Amino acid sequence: MLYQKRIRDYGVEIGRLQPGKKNAITDVEGVTVGHVTLDEGDTQTGVTAILPHQGNLFREKLIASSHVINGFGKTMGTIQMSELGTIETPIVLTNTLSIGTAADALIEYMLEQTPEIGKTTGTVNPIVGECNDMFLNDIRARNVTIEHVWKAIQNASEEFEEGAVGAGRGMLCYSLKGGIGTASRMMEFEHGTYTMGILVLANFGILSDLRINGKPVGEELKEVILKTWEEKDKGSIMMIVATDLPVSERQLNRIIKRTVTGLSRTGSIITTGSGEIAIGFSTATKIPHEKPDRLLSVPTIHEEDMDTAFRAAGEATEEAVLNVLATAEHVTGRDGNERPAFKDLIEEHGISLL
């Protein structure tokens, strides 16, 4: 990964399983992430694109699933994903009022990549997720364009930044600056070693609830900086789960539900106005769009292997959220609204995370 001080650099180690080499969603082979960040004046927003593999996703789909923990969110494409159990486009994350633009851009991208769509075969199902960045961003201006989405896809790489970048530019997390975070975990079985990677777009939580490895760091921070701030959680979080573990759509759905355990360990109570949505995919099996002249073979793990995958999803989600806080920078945006960076506050006030 590009060098940024992350939560482990403060001596905080989450969970029992080991992270992958980059401790990122891109530890899953073939997965890449790209950003476009818009950061001028009242415009504090952007786009983040996740590419599940480097081929044509429409022609070679992946097993996928989505899960709604709390439904105060706006996504596109998850209905068909839940029905068919596959993904056929990149995943695009952006702000709430730009989901239509993101969908248009994804459709145009896939039409250019795949001339048969809408002619000799069916249409395409774009996958888009969002969070509301209206506190720091002039969301009504809808400054995200189709070209920004295309550029985020084109920028996709195994190496990418975290924090106040891409779709995370204008987001808040635990009343502080939020944004993009990632982490991964390795899973060892008798039949092989596999990877679970998580990317989050974090825009949720109130500071007094924040816990780091069980320590109530948020309460300590609240005492020194939030005496005049209103604490109210109206945010959301998108959690993107990638794995190379061979699973069925049913098994994958069970795994991505466990993102909530990591989310809760950071302190979230999943408030009424906060949308918590998980989208997951497995790269282990490619599903051809065109019907082959043979049976499809989809290897899957045994149910007794699921607990390790559950643990990996929870641990990586927890660490990804904490990496958001560790990497995000102070941002001043719409009408002078601002949110400080967690990393600046703990250093300024000498707050230990251990």
Side-chain angles (χ1 to χ4, degrees):
M1 296 293 290
L2 302 172
Y3 178 73
Q4 293 177 283
K5 193 171 183 179
R6 307 173 82 197
I7 199 66
R8 286 185 177 242
D9 295 313
Y10 292 94
V12 176
E13 294 191 7
I14 300 298
R16 303 177 187 175
L17 301 178
Q18 290 299 308
K21 183 177 180 180
K22 295 184 285 291
N23 197 9
I25 192 172
T26 52
D27 283 321
V28 179
E29 186 175 355
V31 177
T32 54
V33 174
H35 300 303
V36 164
T37 304
L38 307 179
D39 57 351
E40 184 175 352
D42 286 354
T43 301
Q44 301 292 330
T45 192
V47 178
T48 295
I50 301 98
L51 277 62
H53 72 64
Q54 300 307 297
N56 186 301
L57 267 165
F58 185 83
R59 293 173 181 153
E60 292 185 304
K61 308 178 198 302
L62 297 179
I63 288 172
S65 185
S66 66
H67 174 65
V68 176
I69 300 165
N70 189 57
F72 206 127
K74 294 82 180 166
T75 60
M76 296 189 70
T78 54
I79 294 175
Q80 180 173 311
M81 177 185 288
S82 296
E83 182 70 21
L84 301 183
T86 57
I87 188 171
E88 60 185 23
T89 75
I91 301 167
V92 171
L93 305 176
T94 188
N95 72 64
T96 307
L97 297 188
S98 295
I99 56 171
T101 300
D104 281 345
L106 262 181
I107 290 168
E108 289 198 29
Y109 171 79
M110 296 304 296
L111 291 178
E112 181 179 341
Q113 298 288 315
T114 321
E116 63 267 30
I117 292 174
K119 288 186 177 180
T120 59
T121 191
T123 57
V124 67
N125 183 48
I127 305 296
V128 182
E130 57 76 37
C131 290
N132 185 347
D133 59 11
M134 63 180 282
F135 182 77
L136 292 175
N137 174 51
D138 180 6
I139 197 169
R140 290 176 59 90
R142 297 196 291 171
N143 287 313
V144 171
T145 67
I146 286 175
E147 288 73 22
H148 291 141
V149 178
W150 290 344
K151 188 175 180 182
I153 294 172
Q154 292 164 359
N155 287 344
S157 170
E158 293 182 9
E159 304 284 339
F160 63 96
E161 290 185 76
E162 296 171 271
V165 293
R169 178 63 189 178
M171 304 301 173
L172 315 180
C173 186
Y174 285 111
S175 307
L176 307 175
K177 188 64 195 72
I180 297 289
T182 191
S184 68
R185 289 294 184 272
M186 305 304 295
M187 301 170 288
E188 294 187 5
F189 302 100
E190 297 86 349
H191 45 78
T193 299
Y194 306 92
T195 306
M196 181 87 65
I198 307 286
L199 180 143
V200 300
L201 174 61
N203 187 53
F204 73 98
I206 58 175
L207 184 56
S208 57
D209 286 336
L210 173 63
R211 304 182 75 85
I212 296 179
N213 253 352
K215 183 178 181 180
V217 174
E219 287 285 359
E220 191 173 353
L221 275 171
K222 181 184 176 183
E223 290 300 314
V224 297
I225 68 160
L226 265 189
K227 294 176 182 177
T228 60
W229 287 12
E230 178 188 13
E231 284 194 303
K232 194 167 185 180
D233 186 356
K234 291 185 177 179
S236 298
I237 183 169
M238 294 292 309
M239 296 168 284
I240 310 303
V241 182
T243 187
D244 56 8
L245 192 66
V247 288
S248 67
E249 183 274 335
R250 177 191 58 79
Q251 290 175 323
L252 181 62
N253 186 261
R254 296 187 69 209
I255 291 167
I256 67 175
K257 288 178 180 178
R258 270 60 182 189
T259 55
V260 73
T261 66
L263 188 61
S264 296
R265 284 195 296 267
T266 68
S268 173
I269 64 166
I270 308 172
T271 60
T272 186
S274 182
E276 283 78 17
I277 298 171
I279 295 174
F281 58 86
S282 169
T283 63
T285 304
K286 292 183 172 65
I287 309 296
H289 178 73
E290 298 295 336
K291 178 179 176 295
D293 57 3
R294 53 179 172 76
L295 291 173
L296 296 179
S297 178
V298 181
T300 64
I301 61 173
H302 191 277
E303 295 302 308
E304 289 192 6
D305 290 335
M306 292 291 282
D307 282 350
T308 299
F310 292 167
R311 182 180 295 277
E315 288 187 9
T317 299
E318 181 180 4
E319 187 160 347
V321 170
L322 298 180
N323 278 334
V324 171
L325 293 170
T327 58
E329 64 190 57
H330 179 281
V331 169
T332 301
R334 179 180 67 82
D335 297 332
N337 292 338
E338 60 183 315
R339 277 294 183 265
F342 172 83
K343 60 184 180 181
D344 296 338
L345 293 172
I346 60 173
E347 291 176 6
E348 178 183 350
H349 296 284
I351 294 174
S352 171
L353 306 184
L354 303 178

